[in-house]
């Protein structure tokens, strides 16, 4: 009632003209509350959730300026609901952290991080904790050395000087700008798709898109290659859709799984082009054939192929129609290419393009649908303007530089051959990945 009186005093001309003591008296002896609910001014104010006075903090506030926030009146006090005076013991959070870590140490899956400081002027060298302690980095995904490219660096510095270091918000608030527009248009054009969307990373992109499909397509069934990356596995889990895991690159098994469902059942096949752990390459064209036959969408992760394959570096899907894309340049070849047949392409901006970020390239309706409904895209601060501008420069350079792609492949062939010659066993594969099993140390 006190809250009502206070609210009333601010908004109601009648209540305003009476003292609070008079109002309290009136409230006790009349049907004031019922009548007030009928009032056009007070009624809406009263039907709003009412706040209780702030409870007293258990301990002195950290600062004199600290004001305890108002709390919702739950109707029943917390101590009535739970007997905090019992001998019940709270969860041992720290114990759980420690035992999980111990399990990881015991099964040798505990993660140790190297302190690797990649040196821009001495690529591919880095120094360890001490600057004079230098090593050669054999395991970076900065495949083309774009992480130290001077043009990208200059673009970033120039953009940062004009637009500052951060985007200032999500894409819906203040984080949409000319750099995002230009980058997405560049990515759409690289992938010869109608549209593209930039994410903070490809992990986020894969998770956001796949989980969205499961949530929005009732009865969706996802077919996922067993070697798919953790980001796709996470997205598929989060989608809560029915799923089938097929053996790596096994078309027969994929087909038998697809054939279990009527064509009208919504389906999605999730796979990668180059698998980074073993270097194998997916039979993209045949997967597209199956998708068309059984009415499925195709979701292709080109993370380890973008920048590395195809005349313009769009990835393996572009590479499969190499001559046609080379001849067509930025235009589309005059027939339906494999790139056209893949519904969704995701990629990273943090490996061959040397910076950070992820993207989706697809039809404009699909991209608009993701843009409008995927929480992983909507509710996060967009990449800083300087990064996006630098990425635009990077994509332009990589796209034009077919020579670097060819040189990289030749270097990989040389390294694999030399490893073989000195008895270091490389897992054979057709891609630029050089997988070495180091065994137990
Ligand atoms: C196959 C694959 N997909 C997605 C990702 C995630 O990409 P990002 O580093 O942009 O989050 C990775 C990262 O290594 C990857 O290997």
């Amino acid at each position: 009632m006190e809250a009502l009186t206070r609210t009333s005093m601010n908004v109601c001309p009648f209540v305003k003209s009476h003292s609070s003591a008079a109002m309290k008296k009136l409230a006790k002896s009349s049907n004031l509350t019922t009548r007030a609910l009928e009032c056009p001014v007070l009624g809406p104010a009263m039907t709003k959730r009412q706040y209780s006075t702030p409870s007293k903090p258990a301990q002195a506030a950290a600062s004199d300026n600290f004001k305890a926030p108002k709390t919702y009146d739950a109707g029943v006090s917390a101590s009535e609901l739970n007997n905090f005076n019992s001998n019940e013991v709270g969860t041992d959070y720290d114990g759980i952290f420690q035992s999980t870590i111990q399990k990881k140490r015991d099964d040798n899956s505990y993660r140790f991080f190297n302190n690797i400081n990649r040196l821009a002027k001495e690529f591919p060298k880095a120094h360890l904790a001490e600057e004079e302690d230098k090593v050669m980095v054999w395991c970076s995904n900065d495949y083309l050395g774009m992480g130290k490219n001077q043009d990208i660096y200059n673009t970033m510095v120039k953009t940062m000087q004009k637009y500052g270091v951060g985007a200032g918000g999500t894409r819906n608030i203040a984080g949409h700008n000319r750099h995002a527009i230009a980058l997405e248009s560049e990515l759409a054009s690289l992938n010869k798709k109608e549209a593209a969307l930039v994410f903070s990373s490809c992990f986020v992109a894969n998770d956001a898109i796949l989980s969205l499909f499961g949530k929005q397509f009732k009865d969706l069934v996802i077919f996922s290659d067993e070697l798919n990356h953790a980001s796709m596995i996470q997205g598929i889990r989060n989608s809560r859709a029915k799923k089938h895991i097929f053996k790596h690159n096994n078309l027969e098994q994929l087909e038998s799984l697809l054939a279990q469902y009527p064509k009208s059942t919504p389906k999605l096949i999730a796979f990668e082009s180059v698998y980074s752990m073993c270097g194998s390459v997916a039979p993209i064209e045949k997967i597209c054939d199956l998708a068309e036959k059984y009415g499925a969408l195709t979701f292709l992760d080109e993370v380890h192929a973008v920048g590395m394959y195809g005349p313009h570096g769009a990835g393996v899907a572009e590479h499969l129609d190499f001559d046609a894309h080379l001849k067509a340049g930025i235009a589309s070849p005059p027939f339906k290419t494999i790139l056209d047949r893949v519904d969704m392409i995701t990629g990273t901006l943090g490996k061959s393009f040397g910076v950070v970020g992820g993207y989706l390239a697809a039809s404009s309706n699909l991209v608009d649908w993701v843009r409008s409904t995927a929480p992983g895209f909507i509710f996060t601060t967009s990449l800083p303007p300087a990064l996006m501008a630098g990425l635009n420069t990077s994509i332009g350079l990589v796209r034009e530089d077919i020579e670097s792609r060819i040189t990289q492949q030749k270097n990989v062939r040389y390294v694999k051959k030399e490893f073989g010659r000195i008895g270091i066993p490389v897992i054979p594969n057709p891609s630029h990945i050089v997988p070495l099993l180091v065994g137990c140390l």
Side-chain angles (χ1 to χ4, degrees), residues 139-358:
C139 56
S140 162
N141 296 124
D142 185 0
Y143 296 126
L144 299 172
M146 298 309 276
K148 54 142 184 57
N149 182 280
Q150 195 59 42
D151 292 340
I152 302 175
Y153 175 90
N154 292 342
T155 306
M156 283 193 179
V157 171
K158 223 168 91 193
T159 314
M160 206 154 24
Q161 279 165 346
K162 183 160 180 184
Y163 296 102
V165 295
T170 67
R171 290 287 287 275
N172 285 284
I173 315 281
H176 183 65
N177 50 48
R178 55 165 59 176
H179 310 290
I181 295 167
L183 179 57
E184 285 173 352
S185 132
E186 181 72 23
L187 284 164
S189 137
L190 174 71
N191 287 284
K192 300 193 179 166
K193 295 282 180 200
E194 289 172 354
L197 199 62
V198 169
F199 291 77
S200 28
S201 74
C202 192
F203 190 105
V204 172
N206 286 350
D207 180 25
I209 300 161
L210 289 168
S211 59
L212 185 68
F213 265 96
K215 284 180 190 133
Q216 300 232 347
F217 277 80
K218 198 172 158 291
D219 303 330
L220 178 79
V221 185
I222 300 182
F223 301 83
S224 173
D225 188 287
E226 67 178 344
L227 291 193
N228 275 344
H229 185 255
S231 52
M232 283 194 266
I233 296 170
Q234 185 74 13
I236 294 167
R237 273 200 196 120
N238 287 339
S239 79
R240 305 214 180 129
K242 184 166 183 186
K243 65 169 187 285
H244 292 285
I245 315 289
F246 58 94
K247 291 215 175 322
H248 181 48
N249 281 349
N250 189 319
L251 293 165
E252 291 76 37
Q253 196 195 9
L254 174 59
E255 175 151 28
S256 72
L257 291 167
L258 286 162
Q260 290 176 22
Y261 297 89
K263 197 163 182 182
S264 57
T265 299
K267 308 174 195 75
L268 186 150
I269 307 171
F271 61 115
E272 297 179 25
S273 53
V274 174
Y275 287 83
S276 64
M277 291 293 128
C278 56
S280 56
V281 176
I284 301 177
E285 187 173 16
K286 294 207 167 81
I287 292 180
C288 288
D289 291 343
L290 290 178
E292 281 161 22
K293 184 170 170 189
Y294 293 97
L297 285 170
T298 41
F299 179 102
L300 175 62
D301 173 314
E302 289 259 30
V303 161
H304 289 275
V306 65
M308 309 295 297
Y309 297 88
H312 305 100
V316 177
E318 187 200 23
H319 199 93
L320 294 171
D321 291 305
F322 196 96
D323 292 338
H325 285 294
L326 183 63
K327 195 165 161 219
I330 59 164
S332 282
F335 61 92
K336 194 165 183 186
T337 62
I338 293 166
L339 200 50
D340 294 332
R341 292 176 69 198
V342 177
D343 297 298
M344 283 161 273
I345 292 182
T346 61
T348 185
L349 300 166
K351 298 191 195 295
S352 289
F353 293 130
V355 191
V356 73

